[in-house]
Structure formats: C-alpha cells, structure tokens
Amino acid sequence: MQFVTVLAADAPEPASSDPRLIIAALIGIAVVVVLITWIKLHPFIALTVGAIGLGLGAGLAAADTATSFSKGFGDTMASVGLLIGLGAMFGKLLADSGGADQIVDTLVGRAGPRSLPWLMALVGAIIGLPMFFEIGVVLLIPVIILVARRSGLPLFRIAIPTLAGLSVMHGLVPPHPGPLVAVSALSANLGLTLALGILVAIPTVIIAGPLFSRFAAKWVDIPVPDLFTTGGDAAGTATGTAEAREAAAEDPDGPGAPARRRPSFGVTLACILLPVVLMLAKAIADVVAPDAENTLKDAVDFIGTPLIALTIAVLVGIVGLGRGGGMDRSAISKTLSDSLPPIAGILLIVGAGGGLKQVLIDTGLAQIIANAVEGSALPVLLLAWIVAVLIRVATGSATVATVTASGILAPVAADLSSPMVSLMVLAIGSGSLFLSHVNDAGFWLIKEYLGTTVGQNLKTWTVMECLISVCGLIGVLLLSVVV
C-alpha cells in the first residue's frame, strides 16, 4: 500500500487563502442544494454548475477547474460507473430470470416482519465485507427493492439495515479495502484491528440499522421504486401505500400469477455470492502474501478485481440464472439491453458528484484542515476521528478522508501501543463515514436508486451515516479504557 504515503505527500496546496477557500466551499455546496431543491434543476446540471463555480471561487484557474471536474467525473465512471452498469445487468438478469423471486420468497418466507430487518443487516454486512460500498449497493439494491415490495414492509425498514451493514464494513472491518489503507499507513496489527473492529461493528450495525430503521421508515414513507419488477410482482405493489403493502404481504405473487420456472435457491445464491467470494479471496491473498509473485497470486488478483469479478458474475449469471430460469438467447439479450437505459441518469449524477469531490480536493481544502489540527492537544483517538470527519465533510470521500487522516496521524501512531494504533485505525474509519451529503457520489447513488428527494435522503441515509460514525467513535473510546 505504498500509494498511501504518496497520496499524503502529494496533497494539493491550497489554491487561495484559507478564508476564501472555506467560504467558496460552503457557498458551492449551498448552491448545489438550492439549485436542486428550490430551482428544481436536474442534479447533474446542479452538481456541474456548483463544482465549476466552487473551483473558480476558490481561486483555481478556469482551465484547471474544468480539468479537475472532468478528472473526477472520469475517475468515478471508471471506478464506479462500469460497476453500476454491470450491476444493473446482473440485477435485471436476477429479476427477469426469477432468481430474485426465489431469494426474496425464501427470505420473506423464513423471516417474519420483525426479524427481516435484522436478517437484511446481516446480509449487508456479509456482502459488504470484501468490497467497496458502491459495489455492494449495486449488488444488493435488487434484493432490497424486491424484499421491500414482496414483504409489505416500508422501504426504509429494509434499506437502512442493509445499507448500515454495508457501510459499517466499509469503515471499520478489514480486510475491507478502506480500513486496510489505514492499517498499512499506521503499521497497525491487522488481526488485532479486525478483532476490535468486529467488537465495535456489531453494536454499531444494530443501532444504525434495524433500530434506526423504525424511525427512518416513519420519517420518510415513500413508494418502493419501480425497478427490477418481476413476473411475481403484483400490480400496484410499488405504490408504497399501506393498502398496497398489505395486499403484497397477503399475496406476494399477485392474483392468478402463473407458475414459472425459476433457478434454484442454491444456484441463485451462488451467483450472487460469486463476486463476493472472488473479491474476498483477493483481499485475503493481499493480507497473507502481499509480496508473492507467482501465477496463482496473479490469477487471484486478476479475478478479484471488482470489474473482472462483476463481469464474471454477469457471464455466469447468463448461464446459471438465464438458462436456469428458462430464458432463451433472445430473452437474455433483451434483459441485458433493457437494464441500461434506466441507469443513465444515475451514472451522470454519480459522475458529477465525483467531479465536485475532485474539485474540492484540488482546491487544497484537505491541506488546510491538516494544518489546522497540527499540534492539537486533543486526546489522540478523538483527534483522529475529528480529522477524518473534517476531511470527509469537506471532500465527500471516505477514501480521501482515510488516506489523508492516516498520513497526518502516522507520526503520532509511531509512539502508541499496538492496541491504541488499531483503535486509531477504527477512529479514522468511523470519522470517514460522517455526514454524507451532496458532495458525496454515494449520496446520489442511494438517492437515485431509492427514489428519494434530497431532503428525504438527508433524513435517512445521512442520519444513518452520522449514527454509524458517532457509535463507532463511542465504541472506540470505550475499548480504549480496557485495552
């Protein structure tokens, strides 16, 4: 993980004076919110206008601002956009083949309304362990939507626990790529960090997932998005009304729904878990034999790359789900083609969110934050959390927050005991999740998939992320008393 040091050393210098830069960042983000919520401008345009205005206002040259936005857009499309496209194909194949029906009916049939949110939190945590958050979202959104539609529960009773499981893994538990960055940068003990991370993660998922979902579902009661509809969905179950949810729960397959061939539960589960296993294998290989140079290690690294793992999942899904569900070649081709048009808007919005994030990074805002906390007398774990929070809120990137905070605090970690270094990794990971808002590409990914407004997303997704961050910090501070 040599790149951590490089990134920290190459952090952009501030483009202007500190007050001007901070004011420009605040105004730029406010403009994005106003354009979307009041002017009702499309989020892609609003994010683009806000990002360009922010860069110019912060003192970046016009050409540099455009280049920065384009770079952020392109990097996001390369890292997330391709995965969204593959995930949409896989999700549509899962839905049209009947595989999603098989998984959803099994989950709903074996778990009652009270236990289903808890089960979904576990599913989110398991799926999210080896992969970045956006990839887990792409894989699980079809399941979230179909479980909500078929179970009759409000959308956020299902979505929040699943997303909480994903997000907590993203911030707290190696071998997830996020915490591994901090483990490497701070020279922490991986096994100890993993054990302490699990101790912090369990209560954090419970509080921010199943428990908070009760409130989120009351605050925002919206229709289940009309995505990934299957032959087993009753007409009107996407309306989200109490009557429709009751009808869906009583007759999930719809009135007079004909029996149809479906892939088996085992085959469907294997197709869903295939990319998870491939990426987890790569993560384990990177930990166990990071410097190995042999054909097996190269093969594991290749197939465990998210792009390759999801591509393999789609190809296997064509056979296992498509043919297993009785689909012929023309039906499979139509499913794959029909999966892409609905995500065009999501791709543009997520890409523009990445562009805004890159402009914020290139203005040097992270460096201002680093300078401000240098020499602070705050307790070291609280300081680590605060540094990560400030960079996360300013840049919208959990990864940038983790990398930058780790680089800032590496000299401090050198003088700490092994347990305290591991807890510092977790404090940084917790802080890197705080207050996801309009400069975070993940914010727009969740908003567009679940069909919320900006305000509704702030009341659900953003509050959940803040809960995870604060609960993680509390867990870290409590553990620091006994280790």
Side-chain angles (χ1 to χ4, degrees):
M1 295 269 180
Q2 218 170 11
F3 67 90
V4 172
T5 305
V6 173
L7 282 173
D10 292 346
E13 290 298 320
S16 61
S17 65
D18 293 4
R20 177 180 174 181
L21 185 50
I22 293 170
I23 291 171
L26 292 174
I27 292 176
I29 292 171
V31 165
V32 172
V33 174
V34 169
L35 288 176
I36 294 170
T37 58
W38 188 52
I39 306 296
K40 304 298 183 185
L41 203 59
H42 190 277
F44 169 65
I45 302 297
L47 285 165
T48 303
V49 170
I52 299 299
L54 189 157
L56 295 174
L60 286 178
D64 291 342
T65 300
T67 300
S68 178
F69 180 82
S70 299
K71 179 182 185 301
F73 189 100
D75 289 349
T76 302
M77 286 297 97
S79 61
V80 179
L82 291 172
L83 303 179
I84 292 174
L86 289 167
M89 288 182 172
F90 185 84
K92 183 68 171 167
L93 196 59
L94 191 66
D96 287 359
S97 67
D101 286 333
Q102 189 74 273
I103 291 290
V104 170
D105 287 348
T106 302
L107 291 177
V108 173
R110 297 186 181 182
R114 290 187 177 181
S115 60
L116 195 53
W118 297 83
L119 178 60
M120 294 304 293
L122 179 62
V123 169
I126 293 172
I127 296 294
L129 181 60
M131 62 187 64
F132 279 106
F133 179 80
E134 291 85 352
I135 309 170
V137 170
V138 166
L139 285 175
L140 281 176
I141 277 292
V143 177
I144 290 172
I145 289 174
L146 290 175
V147 168
R149 184 181 296 142
R150 204 67 59 79
S151 68
L153 290 175
L155 175 62
F156 282 102
R157 282 290 280 151
I158 301 300
I160 288 293
T162 313
L163 296 174
L166 277 172
S167 189
V168 169
M169 294 300 108
H170 178 52
L172 294 177
V173 182
H176 190 283
L180 276 180
V181 170
V183 166
S184 176
L186 301 178
S187 300
N189 182 297
L190 180 62
L192 182 58
T193 306
L194 173 61
L196 294 175
I198 291 173
L199 288 177
V200 175
I202 292 173
T204 300
V205 170
I206 291 172
I207 293 170
L211 297 183
F212 172 63
S213 70
R214 294 177 178 271
F215 299 96
K218 292 178 182 178
W219 295 343
V220 179
D221 187 11
I222 61 172
V224 178
D226 191 19
L227 296 172
F228 311 109
T229 54
T230 72
D233 290 323
T237 57
T239 61
T241 63
E243 293 82 0
R245 288 201 293 262
E246 289 174 7
E250 291 172 4
D251 186 13
D253 288 329
R260 56 164 295 177
R261 180 180 168 187
R262 294 176 175 178
S264 69
F265 177 79
V267 168
T268 305
L269 187 62
C271 289
I272 293 174
L273 291 180
L274 176 60
V276 179
V277 172
L278 294 177
M279 284 183 271
L280 182 59
K282 179 182 184 300
I284 293 173
D286 288 341
V287 172
V288 174
D291 300 321
E293 295 183 3
N294 53 59
T295 304
L296 178 60
K297 179 65 162 55
D298 291 342
V300 171
D301 284 345
F302 176 71
I303 64 175
T305 302
L307 175 64
I308 304 303
L310 276 176
T311 301
I312 292 173
V314 171
L315 295 175
V316 171
I318 289 173
V319 178
L321 298 175
R323 305 300 292 179
M327 301 172 71
D328 58 22
R329 284 181 295 179
S330 61
I332 292 173
S333 177
K334 184 176 187 303
T335 287
L336 297 178
S337 297
D338 290 348
S339 68
L340 297 178
I343 66 168
I346 295 175
L347 288 172
L348 288 173
I349 292 167
V350 170
L356 173 60
K357 176 192 73 178
Q358 189 62 45
V359 170
L360 282 164
I361 293 170
D362 288 346
T363 60
L365 192 59
Q367 188 60 42
I368 288 178
I369 294 170
N371 294 338
V373 301
E374 191 174 343
S376 172
L378 288 172
V380 64
L381 296 178
L382 180 60
L383 176 63
W385 183 82
I386 290 174
V387 171
V389 163
L390 292 174
I391 297 169
R392 155 69 163 185
V393 173
T395 66
S397 171
T399 302
V400 170
T402 300
V403 169
T404 307
S406 299
I408 293 169
L409 294 161
V412 178
D415 298 326
L416 299 177
S417 65
S418 180
M420 288 297 288
V421 175
S422 292
L423 290 176
M424 179 180 283
V425 170
L426 301 180
I428 291 172
S430 298
S432 73
L433 301 176
F434 190 81
L435 197 66
S436 168
H437 62 101
V438 298
N439 65 349
D440 178 12
F443 177 91
W444 298 104
L445 186 65
I446 300 299
K447 175 191 174 299
E448 294 304 311
Y449 266 135
L450 298 184
T452 62
T453 65
V454 170
Q456 289 170 336
N457 215 37
L458 289 169
K459 288 194 290 186
T460 51
W461 159 254
T462 300
V463 173
M464 183 202 79
E465 287 284 84
C466 291
L467 272 176
I468 290 173
S469 182
V470 173
C471 289
L473 172 64
I474 293 172
V476 165
L477 294 178
L478 290 176
L479 285 176
S480 70
V481 176
V482 297
V483 299

